[in-house]
Amino acid sequence: MKHEMTNKEYNEYIKTKTPNSKIFSNSLKAFVSGGIICVIGHCLLTLFKKWGLDEESAGTFTSITLIFFGALLTGLDIYPKIAKFAGAGTVVPITGFANSVVSPALEAKTEGMIMGVGAKIFTIAGPVILYGIFASWIAGIVYWIISLF
């Protein structure tokens, strides 16, 4: 004969099998890690402005530099280790975008440069890039039409 659990017994059983939540420590790690990436970005921005670049150019160079280092660290298998520790703190900044572009390509490199890396490099970030470019193209056409009048 089967013994059916009561709700109380079931809840006690679940408590023994469910790991404790680490919301506070995970949130703290994400906040600090994301903050460190942003501080590095701000230091780069300040450095580029000190080297004589205007605000817009310094911002562009900062973004390019952060994307480069995000992709490089992903390729060297360092960024995934940082992400494992930091969680969402590495996803939000622009370095997370670089990681999302490079990671699928690295996973597919055994399939070759064209059918592997070339086909998979934009698997995750591709739709974001596609719709971003398409939206900017439409906005440019609308702006051009409005500027004619």
Side-chain angles (χ1 to χ4, degrees), residues 60-109:
T60 300
F61 275 92
T62 300
S63 296
I64 290 168
T65 304
L66 288 172
I67 290 170
F68 170 76
F69 281 112
L72 179 67
L73 292 175
T74 299
L76 296 174
D77 200 33
I78 295 170
Y79 201 87
K81 291 173 185 168
I82 296 169
K84 187 174 182 179
F85 168 78
T90 58
V91 175
V92 177
I94 197 166
T95 53
F97 174 75
N99 179 57
S100 72
V101 172
V102 174
S103 291
L106 290 177
E107 291 172 9
K109 68 183 175 185

Side-chain angles (χ1 to χ4, degrees), residues 39-138:
V39 166
I40 292 169
H42 190 73
C43 289
L44 287 169
L45 180 69
T46 303
L47 180 68
F48 290 135
K49 287 197 301 191
K50 189 174 184 172
W51 286 349
L53 294 174
D54 61 272
E55 183 81 28
E56 186 176 341
S57 297
T60 300
F61 275 92
T62 300
S63 296
I64 290 168
T65 304
L66 288 172
I67 290 170
F68 170 76
F69 281 112
L72 179 67
L73 292 175
T74 299
L76 296 174
D77 200 33
I78 295 170
Y79 201 87
K81 291 173 185 168
I82 296 169
K84 187 174 182 179
F85 168 78
T90 58
V91 175
V92 177
I94 197 166
T95 53
F97 174 75
N99 179 57
S100 72
V101 172
V102 174
S103 291
L106 290 177
E107 291 172 9
K109 68 183 175 185
T110 58
E111 298 172 34
M113 291 305 290
I114 295 176
M115 296 307 290
V117 175
K120 303 287 184 182
I121 194 159
F122 295 114
T123 302
I124 295 173
V128 175
I129 295 169
L130 171 71
Y131 291 115
I133 290 172
F134 183 71
S136 65
W137 184 74
I138 294 296

